[in-house]
């Protein structure tokens, strides 16, 4: 089926079909043969990789979906890798300044992304050349291109599943921002699709690629702390007040607001709900709870060896709400998760930011740039925690790129990303019901609770249902 024109508001076709495995080796060998055949001709140095870049046959050709703050951060970072070529970018806003109302500061969107790729191409060609990077507002056009090997998804949360599934359907390897998905059943669909297609998937829970987090998890996994009794996970508080200018209700000429909204409810346009601050409303994200749970609770699950499992009971406790109806996600919150091992994980905006494992023999606390323990010898490089060693990565993007080349495992595949945020999904159900919910982590179902099951399902606006 062909794609609709890029300027339509039609929802995507979500019928999932298993892609055929890609054969990158064949493509590389074919490109090498082409270069050999054309050897007598004058070939640009860049085509042979003589500008300090890998030759075309060894480059990973990326497509970027979402060129806002995080997307542009990814784009600029991937442009620095010598074996990466960004060949396509996608965004529904041609140009914006995110939350800046004065038109100053960094620019984001489709045009700045194209400009950044072109500038890098000129720099690599030492003043000459340019870029043939493709730009579009429709992610399906990007995913359907034959010159795209892998896709980076850095959209608002309500678009994650749609973009991930389309990329997987087209046989692309995927780097997807956390939280993996906006709704629970979307996460299961993405994890199943990624596994079934045999593609290389990396969830953007990049703390796993920092040494202090790995050391904390290895201390726990090796039993250095004894039996883990409690884990305290600290996340930032949510949005209490309006961010931005609530009087700005006219859709900017650069923005396709219908397409930006996508499967979410069609709410009136308000500047404080689009771009940087969209997570304040549950139509697009679920506040800082679901923003950060994919970081610090991901580390809790890593240490507890819960990458393919989860809690047996979850309770939402003492949630508070914004003073404005522009946002509807919790400001202060506590989530208590109980596990079959007897461990209780307390995720809360009232805890210090980071992850603290508390065991029968001591504790360890880890955050970005921090590693503390009841016995500081445990934190020293010379201390050997034991035989259990975890996936070693010091560069989250590089870990994905290397796995694409080897067809190996990444440090945070889709299944892991889904499991790390499941307690957050369950907490919203618990909060809505006003009681704890009991969960079977093997079957991923509530225990005899039809009411809770109904609340866990995704909700799309009419015409966008995936089934």
């Amino acid at each position: 089926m062909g794609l609709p024109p890029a300027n339509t508001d039609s929802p995507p076709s979500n019928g999932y079909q298993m892609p055929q495995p890609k054969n990158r080796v064949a493509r590389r060998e074919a490109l090498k043969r082409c270069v050999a055949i054309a050897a007598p001709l004058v070939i640009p140095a860049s085509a042979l990789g003589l500008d300090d870049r890998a030759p075309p046959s060894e480059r990973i050709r990326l497509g970027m979906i979402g060129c806002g703050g995080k997307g542009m951060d990814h784009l600029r970072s991937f442009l620095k890798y010598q074996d990466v070529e960004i060949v396509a970018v996608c965004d529904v806003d041609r140009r914006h300044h995110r939350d800046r109302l004065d038109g100053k500061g960094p620019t984001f969107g489709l045009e700045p992304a194209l400009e950044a790729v072109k500038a890098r191409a000129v720099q690599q060609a030492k003043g000459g050349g340019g870029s043939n990077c493709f730009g579009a507002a429709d992610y399906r056009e990007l995913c359907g291109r034959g010159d795209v090997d892998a896709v980076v998804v850095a959209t608002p949360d309500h678009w994650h599943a749609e973009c991930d599934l389309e990329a997987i359907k087209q046989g692309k390897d995927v780097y997807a921002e956390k939280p993996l998905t906006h709704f629970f059943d979307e996460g299961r669909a993405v994890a199943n699709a990624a596994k079934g297609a045999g593609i290389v998937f990396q969830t953007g829970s990049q703390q796993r690629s920092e040494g202090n987090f790995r050391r904390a998890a290895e201390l726990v996994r090796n039993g250095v702390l004894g039996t883990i009794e409690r884990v305290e996970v600290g996340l930032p508080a949510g949005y209490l007040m309006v961010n931005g200018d609530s009087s700005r209700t006219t859709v900017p000429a650069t923005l396709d607001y219908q397409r930006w909204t996508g499967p979410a409810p069609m709410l009136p346009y308000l500047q404080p709900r689009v771009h940087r601050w969209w997570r304040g409303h549950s139509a697009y994200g679920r506040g800082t709870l679901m923003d950060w749970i994919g970081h610090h609770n991901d580390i809790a699950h890593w240490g507890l060896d819960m990458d393919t499992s989860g809690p047996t009971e979850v309770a939402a406790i003492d949630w508070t709400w914004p003073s404005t109806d522009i946002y509807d996600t919790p400001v202060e919150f506590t989530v208590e998760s109980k596990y079959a091992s007897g461990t209780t994980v307390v995720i809360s905006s009232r805890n210090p930011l980071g992850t603290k494992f508390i065991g029968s023999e001591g504790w360890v606390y880890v955050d970005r740039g921090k590693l503390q323990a009841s016995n500081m010898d445990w934190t020293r490089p010379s201390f050997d925690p034991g035989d259990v060693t975890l996936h070693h990565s010091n560069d989250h993007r590089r870990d994905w790129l290397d796995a694409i080349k080897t067809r190996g495992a990444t440090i945070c595949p889709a299944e892991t990303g889904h499991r790390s945020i499941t307690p957050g999904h369950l907490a919203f159900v618990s909060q809505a019901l006003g009681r704890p919910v009991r969960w079977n982590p093997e079957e991923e179902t509530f225990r005899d609770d039809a009411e809770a099951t109904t609340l866990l399902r995704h909700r799309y606006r009419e015409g966008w249902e995936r089934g």
Side-chain angles (χ1 to χ4, degrees):
M1 179 182 296
L3 295 173
N7 61 353
T8 68
D9 295 325
S10 61
S13 172
N14 289 303
Y16 183 80
Q17 296 180 344
M18 193 68 68
Q20 295 299 312
K22 291 180 291 183
N23 191 336
R24 287 188 178 80
V25 175
R27 178 178 77 84
R28 291 171 186 160
E29 291 303 319
L31 283 168
K32 288 176 182 177
R33 286 196 294 270
C34 288
V35 171
I37 293 170
L41 303 178
V42 177
I43 301 174
S46 59
L48 296 173
L50 300 180
D51 57 351
D52 297 325
R53 300 183 65 195
S57 59
E58 293 301 322
R59 294 178 200 163
I60 298 171
R61 301 171 302 187
L62 293 190
M64 309 287 301
I65 303 176
C67 302
K70 190 61 180 177
M72 288 296 285
D73 174 59
H74 279 309
L75 183 144
R76 293 190 180 97
S77 295
F78 278 114
L79 282 173
K80 296 176 182 178
Y81 293 105
Q82 300 302 311
D83 57 348
V84 168
E85 182 177 5
I86 297 178
V87 298
V89 295
C90 173
D91 201 279
V92 299
D93 199 333
R94 295 197 308 275
R95 185 180 294 269
H96 65 92
H97 294 269
R98 206 166 67 166
D99 59 326
R100 291 289 294 266
L101 304 181
D102 56 8
K104 298 179 181 179
T107 55
F108 305 93
L110 184 63
E111 292 172 357
L114 288 168
E115 291 163 4
V117 175
K118 180 178 180 180
R120 180 61 172 163
V122 170
Q123 181 187 47
Q124 288 175 326
K126 297 178 172 59
S131 168
N132 294 320
C133 186
F134 172 81
D138 192 325
Y139 69 101
R140 293 168 291 178
E141 293 187 28
L142 182 149
C143 291
R145 291 181 64 86
D147 62 348
V148 172
D149 298 321
V151 169
V152 178
V153 177
T155 64
D157 295 356
H158 68 286
W159 266 111
H160 283 186
E162 295 296 318
C163 296
D164 292 351
L165 288 170
E166 181 65 22
I168 295 169
K169 177 182 175 182
Q170 297 295 339
K172 314 301 183 185
D173 297 319
V174 178
Y175 184 112
E177 263 308 316
K178 53 93 221 121
L180 183 67
T181 54
H182 189 30
F183 296 113
F184 169 83
D185 54 353
E186 293 177 323
R188 174 43 54 208
V190 169
N192 287 349
K195 181 178 180 180
I199 60 98
V200 175
F201 196 105
Q202 180 83 295
T203 309
S205 299
Q206 75 272 8
Q207 289 182 167
R208 289 199 179 209
S209 293
E210 297 181 22
N212 55 335
F213 291 102
R214 182 173 60 253
R215 168 50 67 102
E218 287 181 342
L219 288 169
V220 175
R221 288 280 198 102
N222 280 286
V224 175
L225 277 63
T227 301
I228 301 300
E229 301 164 350
R230 178 182 174 92
V231 184
E232 296 175 353
V233 175
L235 310 184
Y239 307 156
L240 177 63
M241 307 293 290
V242 175
N243 297 298
D245 184 357
S246 59
S247 69
R248 291 173 63 108
T249 59
T250 301
V251 179
T254 61
L255 173 66
D256 184 339
Y257 186 56
Q258 277 279 347
R259 196 180 294 277
W260 186 91
T261 300
M266 179 51 70
L267 303 180
Y269 173 86
L270 284 176
Q271 186 270 337
R273 282 200 301 241
V274 177
H275 296 321
R276 183 173 185 176
W277 308 111
W278 49 264
R279 277 197 177 93
H281 199 285
S282 59
Y284 318 122
R286 286 184 160 182
T288 55
L289 170 52
M290 293 306 291
D291 181 13
W292 279 82
I293 193 172
H295 287 312
H296 293 312
N297 195 65
D298 180 63
I299 299 304
H301 268 206
W302 203 17
L304 295 175
D305 196 11
M306 286 288 124
D307 283 356
T308 58
S309 187
T312 57
E313 184 176 305
V314 173
I317 303 169
D318 296 332
W319 288 22
T320 66
W321 303 93
S323 57
T324 170
D325 60 4
I326 291 176
Y327 304 138
D328 66 350
T329 53
V331 178
E332 299 287 353
F333 50 84
T334 296
V335 177
E336 186 174 88
S337 301
K338 296 180 180 180
Y339 291 75
S341 63
T343 301
T344 296
V345 177
V346 180
I347 306 165
S348 181
S349 59
R350 301 171 177 96
N351 288 337
L353 194 65
T355 307
K356 184 177 183 179
F357 297 93
I358 303 170
S360 57
E361 303 300 321
W363 57 266
V364 62
Y365 164 76
V366 63
D367 190 15
R368 297 178 184 182
K370 297 179 182 178
L371 181 61
Q372 301 169 352
S374 53
N375 182 343
M376 288 302 290
D377 285 342
W378 297 344
T379 68
R380 305 186 196 286
S382 58
F383 180 79
D384 181 5
D387 294 335
V388 177
T389 58
L390 300 177
H391 186 129
H392 189 109
S393 165
N394 291 325
D395 182 331
H396 210 59
R397 299 181 183 96
R398 184 74 256 171
D399 183 71
W400 178 56
L401 297 173
D402 289 343
I404 289 174
K405 292 184 175 184
T406 64
R407 310 313 295 167
T410 63
I411 197 170
C412 196
E415 180 72 29
T416 298
H418 169 63
R419 295 289 188 159
S420 293
I421 66 173
T422 291
H425 290 309
L426 302 182
F428 276 93
V429 175
S430 170
Q431 192 280 325
L433 295 175
R435 58 175 171 80
V437 290
R438 297 173 63 243
W439 182 249
N440 182 326
E442 284 72 39
E443 298 179 1
E444 292 195 294
T445 57
F446 289 110
R447 300 179 188 272
D448 301 319
D449 196 334
E451 187 178 21
T453 299
T454 299
L455 292 176
L456 196 62
R457 296 172 183 153
H458 73 269
R459 298 175 297 281
Y460 291 170
R461 64 170 165 147
E462 186 176 358
W464 289 80
E465 282 295 330
R466 190 171 58 251

